Amino acid sequence: MTSYRIKNSHGLTATEIRAILQAWDVTAWNTMDTLQFREAFSQSEFHLLSDSSGLLCIARINFDLSIRIAATIYPFPEFVGLAAISKNKGYGKTLIGHIIAELKRRNMECIGFCRSEVRAFYEKCTVPLLYDKAKYLLEKEQQDWNNVTDDDDIIILNVSEAHHNILRRLSPIHPGYLIFES
């Protein structure tokens, strides 16, 4: 039997943090200790799927992201870091279902980004995608705004119809600008 929980970075155990870092396998983060992890991800919440054997799947909601489109800034929490400890067992799909239900319950908008290689996974989860729109989100690099992402699509976990339409209109002549608070 699986259980779904949400924790902030300070509520995670050292064992959970080690499992998350191992699942993510990001070289720059592999040497983080518990305190560094909690500080680095203090503006995030972690969605955990586990059973009696331990952690099965994790994802993170990052609250540091906003997107400026035209003259308006939209705070869009970012779905990121989805990782199943054991692959191809349905844990990712199950966790996404829990996350979407929780976002709707809290009336909280949330988007994510993905490469075209994983589109089929999100399509199987019946998560709406805005195909090839992530490349129109620019990020500040030194003094210039550039497309620095290798993501292709925007994942729509829970967004109002009005905001969905705004994101749908992203284009080379109507880009968005990623703003990270920290």
Side-chain angles (χ1 to χ4, degrees):
M1 175 131 161
T2 62
S3 68
Y4 167 66
R5 295 169 292 134
I6 303 170
K7 293 185 175 185
N8 64 29
S9 65
H10 295 284
L12 294 168
T13 67
T15 302
E16 289 169 331
I17 290 171
R18 281 192 301 277
I20 291 167
L21 288 172
Q22 185 175 5
W24 283 347
D25 194 26
V26 175
T27 304
W29 297 343
N30 285 341
T31 59
M32 279 186 175
D33 64 27
T34 301
L35 293 174
Q36 291 168 323
F37 181 95
R38 288 181 175 144
E39 181 60 30
F41 300 107
S42 65
Q43 297 301 310
S44 296
E45 66 182 24
F46 294 82
H47 295 253
L48 312 169
L49 186 69
S50 57
D51 67 9
S52 59
S53 69
L55 196 57
L56 301 172
C57 190
I58 63 103
R60 178 171 72 99
I61 305 286
N62 170 24
F63 292 97
D64 278 345
L65 178 69
S66 295
I67 300 174
R68 181 171 53 86
I69 301 173
T72 304
I73 295 178
Y74 302 92
F76 282 116
E78 176 191 20
F79 169 78
V80 65
L82 176 67
I85 307 306
S86 296
K87 309 284 186 215
N88 299 315
K89 299 204 182 219
Y91 299 135
K93 184 176 181 179
T94 299
L95 183 58
I96 286 175
H98 284 296
I99 292 169
I100 291 171
E102 179 64 16
L103 292 168
K104 288 178 179 180
R105 185 190 71 73
R106 291 162 60 184
N107 195 30
M108 187 170 88
E109 293 192 311
C110 185
I111 63 173
F113 308 101
C114 72
R115 295 184 205 161
S116 60
E117 300 89 66
V118 295
R119 282 178 182 158
F121 168 75
Y122 290 104
E123 290 168 340
K124 188 186 297 185
C125 296
T126 65
V127 175
L129 298 172
L130 293 176
Y131 299 100
D132 298 316
K133 292 296 183 177
K135 61 186 165 190
Y136 304 124
L137 293 170
L138 307 178
E139 196 170 330
K140 188 92 170 200
E141 242 187 1
Q142 296 170 1
Q143 298 300 327
D144 298 317
W145 289 93
N146 297 303
N147 179 328
V148 297
T149 185
D150 56 355
D151 290 316
D152 298 298
D153 306 331
I154 298 174
I155 305 165
I156 304 294
L157 280 96
N158 191 44
V159 173
S160 70
E161 189 61 33
H163 288 163
H164 195 159
N165 288 332
I166 288 167
L167 291 169
R168 190 180 288 125
R169 287 192 293 265
L170 289 170
S171 70
I173 58 172
H174 296 292
Y177 301 89
L178 298 174
I179 301 167
F180 296 94
E181 305 301 322
S182 57

